[in-house]
Amino acid sequence: MATQRTETDRPRQTGEPRLKVGAPTVLPSRRSRVRRLAPRAVAAATALCALVVFVQEHVTLPFTRIVTIEAKMASKADYFEDPEVQRLLVRHGFRVHITRMGSRGIAVQNYDSYDVVFPSGQPAADLITKRRATEGRPATTYRPFVSPIVLGTYREYAETLQEAGIATPLPGVPAGAKPLYYSLDMEKFLRTTADGRRWDSLGVERHGIHNGNKVLAQTSDICEANSAGTYLGLVSYVWNHDNIPQNATEATRFAERIRLLLNDQGMPSSEKNETYVSAEGKSISPIAVIYEHQFLAHQLAARADSGHVDSERVLLYPSAQTVTEPQLIALTPEGSRLGDLITTDPALQKRAMELGFRVRDAAGAASTSDALSRFLRARHIQAPVLSADDTKAVLPRLELLERMIEVVGDCAPIAQSAAGGEAP
């Protein structure tokens, strides 16, 4: 009979324990170790190089005091909202926080808590500086660049006006190219509007468009925008045979004469250029009063993005020219530092030209159009060739222009608007 063993009955193991020997471990060669470490080393070196470049680029920024400038600006806020301009300003210790509104709105509302205000033209700037002087708080003004008032339109409408003898292509069109710029006979154009002519009657259908609306230029809100107020002055100058009002009575009469040339456009928008460059612009606003720099900035961006210009959109230069002079008005010492910087720093001036502005030199004199023309042609964009013989429209005196704006736009008077304080 077999005996059943229990766990305690198993014999003890005696002597030295036996080691279990497995397969020998093969150490990698030095070359193998190098190959294995190489990707990690390359990645680490790359990261280190990137860190060194980043530190070299930004090492000064954490130690630079960044001053935030509070600013009220109209359309020239486009310049300060540009990412490259913002980068350059930060390198100089500035960040600009912008409140956008129309130029006239800037002039009539409260701006005591701001460092700078930047209306788009001289009339609004004069209102501000005059008010500051009356209060015993003079302000410093800076004129970094200029931009003419122009009429943005589309090729079909420009060619229709050309066929009607109202517009003429400007010279300098490269062989095989279509013109981007036209001269607009303002007297003929305004007569067409006054006569109630419609686009269909001018033959726009020959260019594949049906439009039964009146032939006129649409502006931003005349009670707010410098471009609209300046265009009003230009229209008055042409329609009143190169005359300007000399007193309030004449200003009212001149304004009544041109009222229908400006007000038969429907509800005004706050920024006409936004409509012009949109996909719906052609049907909403066939001719829009804008600034030259807005059109050129659009074309520069189109060239950079697609490799070619936007040949659908073109410019009409009024035969009676007027150049707006945007003025940055410094209200605090920090604002003055900003004004000094944008009018003297070469990189900021160069960037202004890249955004379509005609830049002034450090002495404040307006640069010739040669620099802008060279810049555009270097980027294979047609440059406008304007005639020095064109009429220079003269705007009325500030208080008379204001009276005309009030009549045409049914705007609140300046004193009443200023008394109302900050708009909601």
Side-chain angles (χ1 to χ4, degrees):
M1 178 175 178
T3 303
Q4 186 176 6
R5 289 185 181 219
T6 65
E7 194 65 34
T8 55
D9 295 330
R10 291 175 184 170
R12 288 180 177 271
Q13 188 177 19
T14 59
E16 292 295 326
R18 290 178 294 177
L19 296 177
K20 183 177 180 180
V21 179
T25 301
V26 180
L27 295 176
S29 67
R30 182 176 183 276
R31 180 176 297 178
S32 175
R33 291 198 302 272
V34 170
R35 284 199 301 265
R36 189 176 300 172
L37 292 174
R40 298 178 184 177
V42 170
T46 302
L48 181 59
C49 290
L51 178 61
V52 169
V53 171
F54 177 83
V55 170
Q56 287 177 337
E57 177 69 18
H58 298 279
V59 68
T60 60
L61 296 186
F63 305 100
T64 300
R65 176 174 174 263
I66 304 298
V67 176
T68 298
I69 298 292
E70 293 294 335
K72 272 188 179 182
M73 298 187 181
S75 63
K76 303 309 177 283
D78 296 345
Y79 174 74
F80 287 93
E81 290 173 344
D82 173 67
E84 177 63 13
V85 170
Q86 292 176 347
R87 186 187 72 83
L88 292 170
L89 289 175
V90 166
R91 290 180 66 86
H92 288 280
F94 287 107
R95 182 177 290 110
V96 180
H97 178 257
I98 298 171
T99 301
R100 263 194 184 254
M101 64 175 54
S103 292
R104 192 170 182 269
I106 293 174
V108 303
Q109 296 185 8
N110 188 296
Y111 39 76
D112 287 342
S113 60
Y114 291 84
D115 298 292
V116 299
V117 291
F118 201 1
S120 293
Q122 187 170 347
D126 287 347
L127 285 172
I128 295 168
T129 54
K130 182 178 179 180
R131 176 177 164 188
R132 295 278 296 188
T134 301
E135 297 169 348
R137 298 187 296 169
T140 307
T141 60
Y142 300 86
R143 296 175 173 85
F145 37 65
V146 298
S147 188
I149 288 287
V150 291
L151 283 71
T153 189
Y154 306 86
R155 186 163 303 282
E156 297 90 341
Y157 290 99
E159 292 177 350
T160 300
L161 292 173
Q162 181 183 354
E163 292 166 356
I166 300 172
T168 307
L170 290 180
V173 181
K178 294 182 177 180
L180 280 182
Y181 313 105
Y182 294 76
S183 174
L184 181 70
D185 188 315
M186 280 299 293
E187 189 168 353
K188 290 182 179 179
F189 178 72
L190 295 176
R191 173 54 60 191
T192 302
T193 301
D195 291 344
R197 297 289 300 276
R198 300 183 180 273
W199 286 108
D200 283 347
S201 70
L202 286 186
V204 74
E205 289 181 327
R206 292 194 295 270
H207 299 276
I209 292 178
H210 169 71
N211 190 334
N213 293 326
K214 287 181 64 174
V215 178
L216 52 79
Q218 298 186 18
T219 70
S220 301
D221 189 346
I222 200 167
C223 295
E224 294 290 331
N226 175 78
S227 59
T230 302
Y231 183 69
L232 177 154
L234 186 154
V235 169
S236 174
Y237 184 77
V238 174
W239 200 240
N240 289 289
H241 309 292
D242 300 351
N243 289 319
I244 58 174
Q246 301 300 318
N247 53 56
T249 301
E250 286 188 357
T252 301
R253 187 172 74 250
F254 280 25
E256 292 289 357
R257 288 194 64 199
I258 64 172
R259 192 169 188 167
L260 291 180
L261 300 176
L262 295 156
N263 282 357
D264 197 13
Q265 59 175 315
M267 184 69 68
S269 64
S270 59
E271 179 50 74
K272 190 54 67 177
N273 186 60
E274 293 178 0
T275 303
Y276 173 60
V277 299
S278 71
E280 298 79 19
K282 187 182 294 187
S283 58
I284 297 175
S285 181
I287 299 182
V289 177
I290 61 174
Y291 294 103
E292 180 190 58
H293 79 271
Q294 294 174 319
F295 177 85
L296 296 181
H298 171 75
Q299 293 294 1
L300 287 162
R303 168 64 76 180
D305 292 342
S306 65
H308 55 79
V309 299
D310 177 2
S311 59
E312 178 186 11
R313 289 172 175 81
V314 300
L315 273 194
L316 304 170
Y317 283 86
S319 55
Q321 297 178 9
T322 180
V323 176
T324 60
E325 293 193 272
Q327 297 181 39
L328 185 144
I329 303 173
L331 309 176
T332 66
E334 289 80 8
S336 294
R337 287 174 52 207
L338 178 67
D340 288 333
L341 181 65
I342 65 170
T343 52
T344 59
D345 183 74
L348 286 166
Q349 289 183 314
K350 178 176 180 291
R351 186 56 183 164
M353 186 178 296
E354 291 172 350
L355 295 173
F357 291 99
R358 297 174 182 262
V359 180
R360 292 177 175 272
D361 60 26
S367 65
T368 65
S369 57
D370 292 343
L372 181 61
S373 296
R374 288 194 300 269
F375 175 80
L376 293 172
R377 288 173 181 142
R379 285 149 183 80
H380 306 289
I381 298 174
Q382 291 179 40
V385 180
L386 305 178
S387 173
D389 296 331
D390 285 344
T391 303
K392 301 297 188 292
V394 180
L395 297 183
R397 296 197 310 271
L398 177 60
E399 65 274 13
L400 301 181
L401 179 61
E402 271 303 313
R403 176 56 185 158
M404 295 177 70
I405 290 173
E406 293 166 9
V407 171
V408 171
D410 195 21
C411 313
I414 284 292
Q416 179 179 334
S417 298
E422 190 75 48

